[in-house]
């Protein structure tokens, strides 16, 4: 089955125009890299496999993020998560490291890789310079993956950083999204972008989502209860059990303060609601928003200029989640567990 974006299927994704690639790298300077780990089949043997996991790296700009930090704001929708680096961003409004996405039990292995990368790039750390704040987000991929095996190693994080490049990015069952499930179907990595007009200028805003939440009957596509229709039609006889979590990482080139970026992050749940997500207990959900213009801009935009950015935040949150579903391919994992891809053609026919 051909995988394609929700927008390319003719579905309504919002009023604002997308960027060139309709992904997070449409924000100038943003780079994304993946490492996917897929190995073995059959019964789970902890520490051996099967392996269905990976890591995704996001670099806000191609420079030295430790020496050239960015304004950032973060919103915790549901704090049932084990991510690193959240309190520092809440306190300072700064991001001074790359961003990793991976599975829950590989957070610290990934962080070791990021730390090695930053120490090699910045010999002043630990001498006459402060230590960096490592940012690693996670979702639980244990339904498909031997998560106890901690197969994501520090060097995989370094490789993902070295692979980081401009778009278009690969979406679906890739990188950190290899073992993730969404609405009991296959989820993973999704992304979208918007061109945001403000004060006679055009800015870019992009979002990348790691999706791993929800029950089938909750799923909405363009307001249509497709998940409930699928369940009643008994289309999906084998439904995966989703442990839960949603990670959203947004980027913009607009000159916004950390307070304003937090205001954008707070709007992300409105986009989540468009897809049917209800932020279940046990589903850790975070939204990080970053401006990569640096700390030298003369003045941020006025709060009264933010409405188009609020609209963009809602639209790209929803579209990123949908794209993770539309791009993802079916994946078989440990113990014969199967996570089936969204049947795109059937869904489009039901939607008319």
């Amino acid at each position: 089955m051909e995988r394609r974006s929700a927008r390319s299927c003719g579905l309504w994704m919002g009023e604002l125009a997308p960027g060139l690639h309709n992904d997070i790298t449409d924000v100038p300077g943003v780079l994304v890299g993946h490492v996917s780990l897929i190995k073995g089949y059959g019964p789970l043997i902890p520490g051996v496999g099967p392996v269905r996991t990976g890591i995704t790296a996001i670099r806000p700009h191609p420079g030295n993020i430790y020496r050239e930090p960015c304004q950032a704001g973060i919103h915790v929708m549901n704090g049932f998560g084990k991510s690193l680096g959240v309190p520092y961003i809440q306190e300072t409004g700064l991001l001074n490291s790359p961003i990793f996405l991976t599975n829950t039990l590989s957070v610290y292995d990934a962080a070791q890789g990021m730390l090695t990368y930053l120490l090699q790039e910045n010999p002043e750390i630990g001498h006459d310079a402060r230590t960096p704040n490592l940012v690693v987000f996670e979702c639980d991929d244990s339904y498909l993956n031997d998560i106890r095996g901690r197969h994501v190693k520090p060097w995989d994080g370094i490789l993902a950083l070295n692979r980081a490049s401009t778009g278009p990015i690969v979406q679906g069952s890739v990188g950190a999204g290899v073992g993730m499930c969404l609405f009991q179907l296959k989820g993973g990595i999704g992304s979208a972008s918007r061109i945001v007009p403000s004060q006679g200028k055009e800015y870019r805003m992009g979002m990348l989502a790691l999706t791993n939440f929800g029950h089938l009957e909750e799923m909405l596509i363009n307001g249509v209860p497709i998940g409930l229709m699928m369940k009643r039609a008994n289309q999906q006889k084998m439904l995966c059990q989703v442990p839960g979590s949603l990670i959203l990482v947004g980027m913009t080139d607009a000159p916004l303060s950390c307070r304003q970026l937090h205001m954008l992050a707070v709007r992300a749940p409105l986009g989540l609601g468009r897809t049917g997500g209800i932020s279940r207990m046990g589903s850790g959900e975070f939204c990080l928003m970053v401006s990569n213009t640096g700390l030298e801009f003369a003045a941020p935009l006025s709060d009264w200029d933010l409405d188009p950015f609020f609209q963009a935040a809602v639209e790209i949150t929803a579209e990123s989640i949908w794209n993770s579903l539309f791009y993802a391919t079916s994946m078989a994992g440990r113990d014969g567990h199967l996570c089936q891809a969204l049947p795109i053609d059937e869904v489009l026919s039901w939607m008319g």
Side-chain angles (χ1 to χ4, degrees):
M1 184 187 301
E2 179 189 0
R3 309 310 292 177
R4 53 198 188 274
S5 70
R7 179 179 294 269
S8 70
C9 294
L11 300 177
W12 181 84
M13 294 288 108
E15 293 298 310
L16 295 174
L20 177 63
H21 302 304
N22 193 26
D23 69 41
I24 193 172
T25 63
D26 286 330
V27 179
V30 175
L31 308 172
V32 175
H34 300 296
V35 172
S36 303
L37 303 174
I38 303 174
K39 182 177 67 174
Y41 293 91
L44 172 66
I45 304 176
V48 177
V51 180
R52 301 290 186 275
T53 192
I55 186 168
T56 295
I58 305 171
R59 297 178 58 189
H61 59 68
N64 186 322
I65 186 66
Y66 173 76
R67 297 177 185 172
E68 304 171 52
C70 296
Q71 298 270 3
I74 192 164
H75 176 56
V76 180
M77 294 176 257
N78 182 347
F80 200 101
K82 295 86 179 179
S83 300
L84 294 182
V86 174
Y88 180 90
I89 297 172
Q90 291 173 321
E91 182 69 22
T92 67
L94 294 176
L95 175 74
N96 66 359
S97 80
I99 302 157
F100 278 167
L101 312 177
T102 190
N103 77 67
T104 307
L105 297 191
S106 292
V107 166
Y108 295 99
D109 295 286
Q112 287 296 319
M114 183 186 294
L115 182 58
T116 298
Y117 180 90
L118 290 173
L119 290 177
Q120 290 177 344
E121 195 174 44
N122 303 281
E124 69 273 22
I125 293 175
H127 289 286
D128 52 3
R130 290 188 176 274
T131 55
N133 177 60
L134 309 179
V135 178
V136 185
F137 293 107
E138 53 76 29
C139 291
D140 184 346
D141 58 12
S142 59
Y143 181 75
L144 296 177
N145 177 49
D146 169 28
I147 195 170
R148 287 176 61 92
R150 294 161 51 197
H151 297 281
V152 176
K153 303 301 182 184
W155 51 82
D156 294 312
I158 295 172
L159 179 58
L161 286 168
N162 289 332
R163 283 182 176 176
S165 62
T166 56
I169 68 170
V170 181
Q171 301 180 49
S173 304
V174 64
V178 166
M180 304 302 172
C181 305
L182 174 61
F183 295 122
Q184 298 183 279
L185 302 171
K186 189 65 186 73
I189 296 289
S191 193
S193 71
R194 292 293 185 273
I195 299 170
V196 186
S198 181
Q199 292 293 302
K201 297 182 179 180
E202 287 188 342
Y203 298 101
R204 300 294 187 273
M205 183 187 296
M207 187 75 79
L208 185 144
L210 177 62
T211 62
N212 193 51
F213 66 89
H215 290 186
L216 178 63
E217 62 269 21
E218 298 162 358
M219 182 176 68
L220 302 175
I221 300 179
N222 279 179
V224 179
I226 287 295
L228 187 60
M229 295 165 66
M230 291 175 64
K231 189 168 184 177
R232 287 177 174 173
N234 200 27
Q235 289 290 317
Q236 304 303 116
K237 297 180 176 62
M238 294 180 62
L239 292 174
C240 64
Q241 302 303 310
V242 184
S245 285
L246 168 66
I247 305 300
L248 297 165
V249 178
M251 296 280 167
T252 184
D253 61 353
L256 301 179
S257 68
C258 59
R259 181 184 61 82
Q260 292 172 322
L261 291 163
H262 177 259
M263 293 169 70
L264 297 188
V266 168
R267 267 65 180 183
L270 300 175
L272 169 62
R274 286 189 178 186
T275 71
I278 63 170
S279 193
R280 287 179 172 273
M281 182 62 191
S283 182
E285 292 159 350
F286 300 78
C287 179
L288 172 66
M289 294 295 303
V290 180
S291 170
N292 68 356
T293 56
L295 307 180
E296 304 296 328
F297 56 79
L301 295 174
S302 165
D303 290 353
W304 295 103
D305 298 326
L306 294 184
D307 281 352
F309 292 92
F310 296 156
Q311 180 179 355
V314 174
E315 290 186 6
I316 59 179
T317 295
E319 187 171 3
S320 294
I321 294 170
W322 282 323
N323 278 342
S324 74
L325 192 65
F326 274 72
Y327 275 116
T329 52
S330 297
M331 183 73 68
R334 68 171 180 90
D335 298 324
H337 290 177
L338 175 65
C339 204
Q340 299 183 64
L342 179 77
I344 294 177
D345 292 338
E346 288 88 339
V347 166
L348 294 178
S349 67
W350 290 343
M351 296 183 69

